[in-house]
Amino acid sequence: ISQSNRKKRVANSIQSQNMAFALKNKFKKTCNIFCGDEYHNSDREILIRNPPFLRIDHLLFAIKVYLIIQKRKNLQDKKIIIYTRSPIIAFLFLFFKYKKVCLEIHDLKLFSLSGLFLFLIREKRLFLFPITSYLLNDLLRIKFKKNNLYLLPDAHSFLVKDVEEAIDSYKILKTKPKKSKLKIGYFGKVARNKGSYILEELVSRYGNEFDFHIYTRNFELVKNWNCYSSYLDHSEVFKVMLEMDILLYVTDLKNLRFANYTSPIKVYEYLSTLKPIIYTPVADLDIELKNTLSIQFEEINSFSNQINKLVKFKNFKKRIYQSYNQAKKRTWDNRASKVLKIIENY
């Protein structure tokens, strides 16, 4: 289920649309998607809902979709899959006795109806898709059934860069003159819980050594930093990423629990460029980025040394191929395949 886009929700809407179209492609011509009042005829419905906030409009919109289905006699006997990020929508469609309801979990704070869900999950009508291993483990700790839980990391919507081009690009990077500053790009939200204080300290301390580029919706917050800052339309992001020498991902080192709950979707986008990545510790990323063209830094003092190591990998070809394999695995199409395989085979 997807409502009409709002300007403040553009990023989330893009993710919702990507997942919707990926699911639709898997069903070819046998799939429908509800987007507000938009409707297309076929013999199956997939309902996507975004964003993941628990609001009264979720309830009202779910009722609206339910009424649309009830009014159309040709829909009532068809197999309907509900895919949502909203617990209240999931609960409502379970109440309406829909047999296959999928809930994508991004935040346990939204899981206020856990007692009711525990009861409903015993009826094997609810599929839970936590996006990180920390969320999965928390659900197991509160005694959700393991056979209803499926780890489902986020995905990216970019075309993966050609491997040979990436190898040539890295060779040029390795031979770049020392006097030439490396361009380090950060793409994403600038906020305290996203490690903005780390980003600010890096720019302050290493701004004369590296050429930092920060692309964010709230770029005015960094306009006085020693870096280039701007806002990019989503359609321009991949192109600009390819112009960077190194891509930077930071999280809140003072609150690793929050960091480990956060979906590292930006890293999946970084991987698709096959560019070198430097990142702060995140539990799931240690697995995702293992043996890829990437390196971790745990302290700001070690940043420069880690950059030097990152551009001098001897086994860089193997690492680039590993980045390529990981990027191909984390597409919306593959994500949709995993969801549909679980549902269809249950």
Side-chain angles (χ1 to χ4, degrees):
I1 307 171
S2 178
Q3 287 180 294
S4 57
N5 297 344
R6 300 177 183 178
K7 290 183 179 179
K8 293 182 179 179
R9 301 177 182 174
V10 171
N12 279 333
S13 297
I14 289 171
Q15 292 177 34
S16 180
Q17 290 169 19
N18 286 334
M19 189 60 178
F21 287 118
L23 287 166
K24 182 175 182 178
N25 287 337
K26 288 300 167 184
F27 278 132
K28 304 298 181 184
K29 295 181 179 179
T30 64
C31 166
N32 285 337
I33 298 175
F34 272 102
C35 292
D37 294 326
E38 184 181 356
Y39 173 75
H40 301 284
N41 289 321
S42 66
D43 59 6
R44 187 187 297 253
E45 306 297 325
I46 297 181
L47 308 183
I48 314 290
R49 178 62 178 100
N50 188 71
F53 305 112
L54 186 59
R55 297 161 56 103
I56 190 65
D57 64 327
H58 288 204
L59 178 63
L60 296 176
F61 187 72
I63 292 173
K64 178 182 177 181
V65 173
Y66 175 75
L67 292 175
I68 289 172
I69 294 172
Q70 293 303 305
K71 286 180 180 179
R72 293 191 170 106
K73 294 181 180 180
N74 62 325
L75 293 181
Q76 294 178 21
D77 296 329
K78 294 172 184 175
K79 187 174 183 180
I80 296 178
I81 298 170
I82 311 297
Y83 192 97
T84 177
R85 293 184 183 183
S86 168
I88 192 66
I89 286 181
F91 173 73
L92 186 63
F93 278 99
L94 287 166
F95 178 78
F96 291 151
K97 299 189 182 303
Y98 283 84
K99 293 181 178 180
K100 291 188 177 181
V101 177
C102 306
L103 176 60
E104 190 174 301
I105 301 174
H106 288 238
D107 189 346
L108 280 183
K109 290 180 181 178
L110 300 179
F111 228 61
S112 56
L113 299 174
S114 57
L116 288 171
F117 280 120
L118 276 169
F119 172 76
L120 291 167
I121 206 167
R122 292 192 184 100
E123 298 182 12
K124 300 179 181 179
R125 291 194 289 135
L126 179 64
F127 300 84
L128 297 177
F129 294 99
I131 62 167
T132 70
S133 60
Y134 265 62
L135 286 167
L136 174 65
N137 291 333
D138 272 3
L139 289 166
L140 289 172
R141 276 196 289 270
I142 57 177
K143 297 182 180 179
F144 277 84
K145 288 185 177 181
K146 191 173 182 179
N147 61 342
N148 290 83
L149 292 170
Y150 306 91
L151 180 63
L152 188 70
D154 255 318
H156 68 84
S157 56
F158 297 148
L159 293 173
V160 181
K161 188 184 175 184
D162 180 74
V163 175
E164 294 303 320
E165 284 185 24
I167 291 173
D168 291 339
S169 177
Y170 186 79
K171 287 179 180 178
I172 294 172
L173 181 63
K174 286 170 71 70
T175 58
K176 202 167 186 176
K178 291 184 178 180
K179 292 184 179 179
S180 180
K181 287 185 178 181
L182 295 175
K183 291 173 71 173
I184 299 178
Y186 173 85
F187 296 76
K189 188 176 180 180
V190 175
R192 177 79 184 179
N193 59 10
K194 296 285 187 178
S196 62
Y197 64 93
I198 298 174
L199 193 60
E200 184 176 11
E201 182 66 20
L202 288 174
V203 172
S204 175
R205 189 176 301 191
Y206 299 105
N208 294 326
E209 184 178 350
F210 304 110
D211 184 13
F212 286 94
H213 290 241
I214 299 177
Y215 297 94
T216 179
R217 183 175 296 277
N218 48 346
F219 65 92
E220 292 183 356
L221 295 176
V222 303
K223 64 181 180 181
N224 294 324
W225 295 6
N226 183 24
C227 67
Y228 173 82
S229 61
S230 181
Y231 166 73
L232 285 177
D233 183 78
H234 187 75
S235 62
E236 302 173 8
V237 171
F238 185 72
K239 177 184 175 182
V240 177
M241 281 183 178
L242 292 176
E243 295 173 359
M244 300 296 113
D245 293 316
I246 295 170
L247 299 171
L248 170 64
Y249 180 82
V250 298
T251 50
D252 188 355
L253 291 175
K254 296 178 181 177
N255 188 358
L256 282 178
R257 181 176 173 82
F258 179 87
N260 290 329
Y261 279 124
T262 303
S263 171
I265 186 171
K266 190 58 61 180
V267 173
Y268 303 142
E269 294 178 350
Y270 284 0
L271 277 171
S272 68
T273 68
L274 306 186
K275 289 282 184 177
I277 302 169
I278 185 165
Y279 66 100
T280 50
V282 179
D284 285 357
L285 286 186
D286 290 339
I287 299 173
E288 292 285 342
L289 296 180
K290 186 177 181 180
N291 297 325
T292 62
L293 194 64
S294 64
I295 199 165
Q296 185 185 104
F297 75 100
E298 296 186 16
E299 297 178 356
I300 292 175
N301 292 336
S302 67
F303 183 78
S304 184
N305 289 335
Q306 293 299 88
I307 289 288
N308 290 331
K309 291 179 182 178
L310 182 59
V311 298
K312 293 179 181 178
F313 280 136
K314 292 182 179 180
N315 60 341
F316 66 90
K317 289 185 180 180
K318 288 184 178 180
R319 287 179 174 272
I320 289 173
Y321 272 102
Q322 180 62 15
S323 293
Y324 176 81
N325 291 332
Q326 285 297 95
K328 293 288 283 186
K329 184 171 71 173
R330 290 286 173 247
T331 62
W332 288 106
D333 191 61
N334 286 338
R335 193 175 195 258
S337 294
K338 182 176 180 180
V339 169
L340 296 173
K341 184 177 180 181
I342 290 168
I343 296 168
E344 292 295 297
N345 294 336
Y346 193 79

